[in-house]
C-alpha cells in the first residue's frame, strides 16, 4: 500500500511540475509578443504567432477583428511602421487561468497598462498551439475593463 501511495504521489508531483513548466513557457510567449509589440518590433511580434495555420484576432476597444493572418499581419506591420516609437508604458499581468491539453492551451488573464499617468486595464484571452515543441499564438481577444 505504501508503495502504491508513493508511486501515486510521485506521479502527481511530476504532473504538477510539468504543468507549471508549460505555464511558464506560455507566459514567456505572452510576454515576448507584448514586449515586441510595445517595442514596435514586427518580426519579433510575428515570430510568436502560428502564422501557418488559421488565426483569430479581436481587440474590442479598437474595433479590430480578423481571422486572416495576412490581414492581421499587414495591419500590425503598418501600425508599427507608422508609429515606430516604442510605447513607453509599464505592464502588469495577473489572475492567470490556464487550461492546457496536449498541444493546445487556453489562457485568460488581466493586463494593466500604465501610460502617461493613466491606467488601462483589460481582460486578455489567448489560445496557443504547440508547433514543433514551441508554443505559438493562434488567437487573441483583448477587451477593456470599464471601471
Amino acid at each position: 500500500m505504501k508503495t502504491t501511495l508513493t508511486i501515486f504521489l510521485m506521479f502527481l508531483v511530476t504532473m504538477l511540475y510539468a504543468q507549471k513548466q508549460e505555464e511558464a513557457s506560455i507566459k514567456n510567449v505572452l510576454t515576448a509578443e507584448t514586449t515586441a509589440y510595445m517595442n514596435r518590433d514586427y518580426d519579433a511580434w510575428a515570430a510568436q504567432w502560428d502564422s501557418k495555420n488559421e488565426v483569430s484576432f479581436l481587440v474590442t476597444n479598437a474595433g479590430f477583428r480578423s481571422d486572416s493572418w495576412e490581414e492581421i499581419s499587414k495591419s500590425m506591420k503598418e501600425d508599427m511602421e507608422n508609429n515606430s516609437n516604442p510605447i513607453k508604458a509599464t505592464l502588469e499581468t495577473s489572475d492567470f487561468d490556464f487550461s492546457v491539453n496536449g498541444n493546445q492551451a487556453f489562457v485568460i488573464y488581466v493586463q494593466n497598462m500604465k501610460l502617461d499617468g493613466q491606467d488601462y486595464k483589460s481582460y486578455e484571452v489567448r489560445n496557443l498551439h504547440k508547433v514543433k515543441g514551441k508554443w505559438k499564438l493562434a488567437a487573441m481577444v483583448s477587451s477593456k475593463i470599464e471601471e
Side-chain angles (χ1 to χ4, degrees):
M1 182 68 171
K2 280 186 176 181
T3 303
T4 303
L5 180 60
T6 301
I7 291 171
F8 174 74
L9 288 175
M10 288 175 59
F11 175 75
L12 185 60
V13 168
T14 301
M15 293 300 292
L16 290 173
Y17 180 71
Q19 176 75 16
K20 291 296 179 192
Q21 283 184 310
E22 293 291 5
E23 290 175 8
S25 295
I26 291 166
K27 279 185 175 181
N28 287 340
V29 171
L30 301 177
T31 300
E33 186 262 354
T34 303
T35 300
Y37 177 78
M38 301 289 278
N39 288 333
R40 317 311 274 163
D41 184 343
Y42 172 80
D43 292 332
W45 174 84
Q48 305 309 313
W49 284 84
D50 180 10
S51 60
K52 303 281 188 266
N53 293 301
E54 190 172 304
V55 297
S56 182
F57 197 92
L58 171 63
V59 181
T60 61
N61 58 306
F64 182 74
R65 177 176 185 246
S66 180
D67 62 0
S68 160
W69 174 250
E70 290 75 25
E71 182 181 0
I72 295 165
S73 176
K74 179 181 178 208
S75 177
M76 295 302 283
K77 190 169 191 171
E78 286 175 0
D79 175 57
M80 291 180 195
E81 288 173 350
N82 293 336
N83 304 291
S84 60
N85 291 332
I87 299 170
K88 301 210 182 286
T90 58
L91 289 175
E92 297 173 357
T93 54
S94 62
D95 303 325
F96 282 86
D97 290 321
F98 289 90
S99 177
V100 181
N101 187 1
N103 290 332
Q104 177 130 340
F106 185 77
V107 186
I108 301 171
Y109 60 100
V110 173
Q111 180 172 277
N112 189 29
M113 180 173 69
K114 295 178 183 185
L115 176 66
D116 297 330
Q118 298 287 321
D119 284 350
Y120 301 92
K121 203 173 201 180
S122 59
Y123 288 116
E124 302 292 326
V125 180
R126 303 290 188 273
N127 185 358
L128 298 95
H129 298 154
K130 195 176 262 189
V131 179
K132 297 181 182 178
K134 295 185 179 184
W135 289 105
K136 297 285 186 176
L137 288 157
M140 73 156 283
V141 176
S142 180
S143 184
K144 184 177 178 184
I145 299 172
E146 300 292 334
E147 293 188 43

